[in-house]
Every structure is written in C-alpha cells, then in structure tokens.
Amino acid sequence: MVTKVDISSPELNNKDTSSWSLGCFGWCLYLTSMFFVLATFPVSIFKCVKIAQEYERAVLFRLGRIVDKKPKGPGLFFVNPCTDKFIKVDLRTFSYDIPPQEILTKDSVTVSVDGVVYYRVHCPMSSVTNVTNAHHATQLLAQTTLRNILGTKKLAELLSDREGISHDMQGSLDEATHQWGIKVERVEIKDVKLPHQLQRAMAAEAEASREARAKVISAEGEMNASRALKEASLIMAESPTALQLRYLQTLNSIAAEKNSTIIFPLPIDVMSHFMNRK
C-alpha cells in the first residue's frame, strides 16, 4: 500500500521517512539497481558518490519520491544512479536588479522607478517541490509588487518615504514567497526618474517659493529698520548735540572712502538766523 502525502504542505518536515514507502515494485527496482551497483564496484562508486558544497543542499528523489525529510549535504552523499535523482539548491543570497518600471502614482503622475531585491533560499525542499523556478518567480513577483505598492502612493510620498516603501515591499514579498522556500532579506528603491516637463515645473515652483520667502524676509527687515530709525530719531530729538555728532560721524565715513566730493551738512537753524537779519 502506497501512502500519499501532500509535499506542498508546510508540515512536510514533520513527516516520518517511513511514510515515503516505495511499494513492492519500487523496492524490487531499487534492490535490482543496487545489485548492479555492487556488481560493477568500484567503477560504480564514481557515479554513486556526490559532493555538496558548504553553501549547497541536495534534494534527493527516489523513483519520483523525496527520500528523506531534509536535504542532503553539505559533504558526501550516496546516490543510486538507476533510481535516484537529485537537485542542488544554492543557499547563498542572490541580488536582483528590478528593471525600470513605468508607474502611475496616486496623484496621476507617471514616473520610472527601479530597485534591487536581496533574497535567499531558506527551505530547499519547498523551493524545489512547490514552484517550477523559485528564482524566476521571485523576480517576476518583485516587479509586480513594486508597481502595485507605488501605485497607491503619491509623488511626494514616493520621493520622501523610500525607506517605508522598501519596508512594505519586503513584507509583501516575504509573505508571498514563504511557501516557495524563499526569504526576502532586503528591498531598496534605487532611482526615481521624473518626466522632464515635471522636473522643470517643480524647479520653477521651488524658485518661486524661494523668491516669495526672500521678499517676506526683506519686508521684515525694512520694517525692523524703520522701527529702529524711529527710535533713533526720538533719541536725537531730545539732544541736539547728538545730531551734530551724527553729522561728524557721517563726514568721517565719507572722507575714509577718498571721495573728491565732500558734503558738509549745515543746520537749518543757522540759515534761518542769517535770513532773519536781512
């Protein structure tokens, strides 16, 4: 009797090896192939012994069924060349450059965005049995997820909150690829390209905003200066001597610049005295 087990279930690792029964005919084929292996020893040893590197694991199939509840490796493992087949899985981290994607943001602005995804295989059994090509599927899903998430963001959020967008993409990708045995470690937005017309419009808007702030600052300075002049005039009105000293200070400033023209201020009170005598 052959017991069927759903290999796509996440509880695969909890199954006993005894559940993978080959059946009577399967055991006959396996024992027969082992007889030929022993008969051709030691030549057959070169076909039966395989090596898995430290960063590799081998998923072994025997007559189409997974042999053990965990992959083989690293190191040496035995393979029956007549009935066994194995698939090596690389456990190192892979990086994938997401091609530039034309995306329409929430506020109807078309931008071109690219990024990079770092992922690795954390469960070799699931990456082999649950999906045809785990790497290709993850890369296609990364492109689709980038378009879907950025389509819900406004342009201002896209330009200012890249870290939050990357975190959302990582969570979404990691959840979707978990059943494929893939762990998404990091997602980064590399570049956001805006249309040239939009770039010019944003530059003009920024320039106009800077000019408006400059005018406000200049007006505030004029207002503060007028207040200071008003206070100074009130102080000078109380003391005529202070006004004469201010005249002399102005003459000193003009003479220091080596000008050929010297302006000497003459008080109106002096002129009125001579005019009254006439």
Side-chain angles (χ1 to χ4, degrees), residues 129-234:
T129 58
N130 291 356
V131 62
T132 304
N133 190 330
H135 297 284
H136 185 62
T138 303
Q139 294 168 6
L140 292 179
L141 184 61
Q143 299 180 26
T144 306
T145 304
L146 178 65
R147 289 193 297 267
N148 292 340
I149 291 182
L150 296 185
T152 62
K153 304 291 183 180
K154 294 184 179 180
L155 180 61
E157 298 175 351
L158 178 58
L159 297 176
S160 61
D161 191 22
R162 293 191 180 187
E163 184 176 356
I165 294 174
S166 300
H167 183 73
D168 293 342
M169 281 191 59
Q170 179 182 352
S172 179
L173 281 174
D174 195 26
E175 182 181 358
T177 58
H178 179 72
Q179 61 179 348
W180 300 340
I182 299 294
K183 172 64 177 177
V184 179
E185 297 180 339
R186 190 176 182 87
V187 179
E188 291 292 340
I189 302 297
K190 292 172 58 177
D191 191 16
V192 179
K193 296 180 180 179
L194 303 177
H196 295 291
Q197 295 181 353
L198 181 59
Q199 293 180 12
R200 289 194 295 267
M202 294 178 66
E205 181 182 359
E207 183 178 0
S209 178
R210 288 193 297 268
E211 290 180 355
R213 287 196 299 268
K215 291 180 179 179
V216 171
I217 294 173
S218 177
E220 291 178 353
E222 291 290 341
M223 182 177 62
N224 294 333
S226 62
R227 290 176 180 175
L229 289 174
K230 179 182 178 182
E231 294 176 359
S233 64
L234 294 175

Side-chain angles (χ1 to χ4, degrees), residues 35-89:
F35 173 77
F36 285 108
V37 168
L38 295 176
T40 56
F41 187 83
V43 178
S44 60
I45 194 66
F46 297 101
K47 291 290 185 178
C48 295
V49 177
K50 302 297 180 181
I51 301 176
Q53 303 294 336
E54 182 67 30
Y55 53 85
E56 292 179 333
R57 298 294 183 271
V59 180
L60 185 62
F61 293 88
R62 179 165 296 157
L63 297 177
R65 299 176 180 272
I66 293 180
V67 173
D68 203 351
K69 63 180 180 180
K70 61 181 181 179
K72 305 293 183 180
L76 298 175
F77 61 95
F78 179 81
V79 175
N80 190 326
C82 300
T83 59
D84 295 351
K85 177 183 177 182
F86 68 94
I87 299 176
K88 285 186 177 182
V89 179

